[in-house]
Structure formats: C-alpha cells, structure tokens
Amino acid sequence: MDYQKILNTIYEELSHIDLQGEVASYIPELAKVDPRKFGMHLYVGKGEHFCFGDSTEKFSIQSISKVFTLTIAMQLLGENVWERVDVEPSGDPFNSLTQLEYENGIPRNPFINAGALVICDILVSNYEDPKKELLSFVRKITQDENINYDHKIAASEKSTGFRNIALVNYMKALGNIKNDVEPIVDFYFHQCSLAMSCEELAKAFMIYANNGKMLETGEKILSRTKTKRINALMQTCGFYDEAGEFSFEVGLPGKSGVGGGIVAIHPDQYSVAVWNPILNQKGNSELGMAALEKLTTMTGLSIF
Ligand code: GLN
C-alpha cells in the first residue's frame, strides 16, 4: 500500500475546499489558532510513518486526552470504573447536563464531559499529583519527554469553564464525585490543554492499534481486553452525538477534540491523526472527518 501517495491525494483534494464551520471560541485562547492549519500523520507497524502539512505542529488536544485518562483509570480500578460511569452513547452534545438528572449522576460514557470529569475524580483520589502522572503516561507512550500542558489554554478554559464546574457540582450533589470540585476541574482543564502534534498523537495511539503494546519497545501497556474495550468506546462514543455519522462515513474507532484534532485507529493496521481547527456544529473537525473518510475509502481499510 502506498500510504504516502494516498495522503498526498487527500491533501490535494481537500486543502482548498470551503468549510462551513468555525474555530472553537468558547475557550478564548482556541479562537486565536490559525484556521488554515491542516496536517495529517499516519503510523503503521514497525514504526513506518507518513504525513502531510502541519503534522508536526502542536495544538490543544482537548477531549482526545479523555482516552489517556480513561486508560489510566482502567489500569487503576479495572471493572470498578463502570460503577461510576456507563458505556452507552449519549446522543447528546459533549457538555450536556440533561441526562444526569434522570440517570442519578451516572454519566453515559467516559468521553462526554460529565464522564471525563468522573474519571478525573478517580485520578484525583488515587494520585498525589494526577497532572504529573498523566504527563508521564503520555511521555512514556510517545517516548517524548517534551510533551507538556499549555498553561495559557488551561487558564483560558478555567476562566469560562462554568458548564464543566456545574457538571462536577451537580454530580457531587448526586453522590458520584468524591473530591472537592476545584482539584477535579483544575486537572480536567490541564488534561484538555495538553499540546501535541498529529505525529505525537498518532504515535501515542499506536498502543490502541497494537493490542496494548508500544510500537518501538514492544512493552505491554494495556491488556488485550482493556484495549478492545477502549476501542469499542471510541467507536460508539468518541464523537458524541456524531458517533453514528463518524462510523457511517469513516468506520474507525476514534476520538475528537475541540482543538480540531481527531485520532483514529485500525486494529492491527494503523493509527492516524489529523488536525484542522474548523469545527462542525457537533464540535468535530470538519476537514478532519473528510480526510479520514477519504483515507478509509482509498485504503479499503475501515473496520467494517
Ligand atoms: N475542554 C473542552 C470542554 O470541556 C473539551 C471539549 C471537547 O474537546 N469536545 O469543553
């Protein structure tokens, strides 16, 4: 398979199309990002990788970080995680409060904000310094000590993050939050601020494409069962109320973030990350989805 040729075709066909959406502005710092940025990076087995455009430029990974924190929580608690958060698609926007009321504070899944905040609570309970733990996990799976939080983005989100603060308070009132609200949202805003490039994200996600093993060292990070479960959740819940559309158009487990990044994997085949900051109405990168649709069509490699 000539992956580089396929990526070049995707770039040629998509880099000049007109987009309908807008860059996320509810986090003020994100509104400053150049909307023309476009990059893609694909890792296959044995460390071969292919790319185009701004694929080595760092951006705010936002909700993509929820896959990393879920991984850590599953390593800590195993099956007990599911007592605190469910595994069903929500069909609602990522920051919705409504289902919590009639579902007793148990979020539908760990990738909507409510679920990710419960996962934060678990990490805050288990670690003295959860920010340091998350960073060392991400640095390990990328083999890159330079990955860091963007404190400006974290502070920016904190200044307008009233919905997320409300979600934690609400779940605390319903008995599903154990710690104080402040350390939970502080950790959450930092995890979302992680700055990574498409190259770094594609490399990190190789553990999910490679049965839980790191590509370069072969070290087992995650059991086969946990890897399959995380991939199942990415497939059914990774794109919020657009998870069906993403399955329909692209056909891969994946995760998006409002920074405009999307990462997707094909078990045993590849891991791919794409970035363009313009979002559609559901908060997913419009160009990113189009690029991945082309990738699975041209390679013939979707999971279906
Ligand atoms: N930090 C963002 C928020 O909580 C993450 C949302 C996202 O990337 N979908 O609103």
Side-chain angles (χ1 to χ4, degrees), residues 15 38 78 81 152 173 201 214 222 231 234 238 266 275:
S15 53
F38 185 29
V81 172
K152 233 173 146 180
L201 279 171
M214 273 173 61
L222 205 55
N231 290 345
M234 285 201 272
H266 189 304
W275 173 49

Side-chain angles (χ1 to χ4, degrees), residues 55-175:
S55 77
T56 56
E57 187 166 329
K58 288 178 191 284
F59 58 92
S60 184
I61 73 165
Q62 293 295 318
S63 286
I64 296 170
S65 63
K66 294 169 182 172
V67 184
F68 300 141
T69 47
L70 173 65
T71 303
I72 299 171
M74 285 171 72
Q75 284 167 328
L76 283 168
L77 297 194
E79 294 301 305
N80 295 336
V81 172
W82 316 122
E83 288 166 15
R84 307 272 307 272
V85 56
D86 208 345
V87 294
E88 294 297 337
S90 72
D92 271 341
F94 62 84
N95 55 7
S96 173
L97 284 125
T98 49
Q99 280 167 347
L100 285 174
E101 166 102 60
Y102 51 86
E103 292 177 1
N104 304 317
I106 306 291
R108 276 286 174 104
N109 67 68
F111 294 152
I112 51 171
N113 288 11
L117 288 159
V118 167
I119 299 294
C120 283
D121 187 42
I122 292 172
L123 268 59
V124 169
S125 291
N126 280 274
Y127 294 118
E128 189 85 33
D129 188 346
K131 285 188 252 185
K132 201 169 139 205
E133 292 295 331
L134 173 60
L135 214 46
S136 52
F137 174 79
V138 178
R139 286 175 176 176
K140 181 177 178 144
I141 60 173
T142 50
Q143 303 266 283
D144 186 343
E145 287 299 310
N146 293 316
I147 290 171
N148 224 322
Y149 300 112
D150 182 333
H151 296 286
K152 233 173 146 180
I153 299 255
S156 178
E157 182 164 7
K158 195 171 202 166
S159 71
T160 57
F162 307 113
R163 272 192 96 88
N164 287 318
I165 296 163
L167 281 166
V168 183
N169 274 297
Y170 197 30
M171 290 188 290
K172 194 166 173 73
L174 293 166

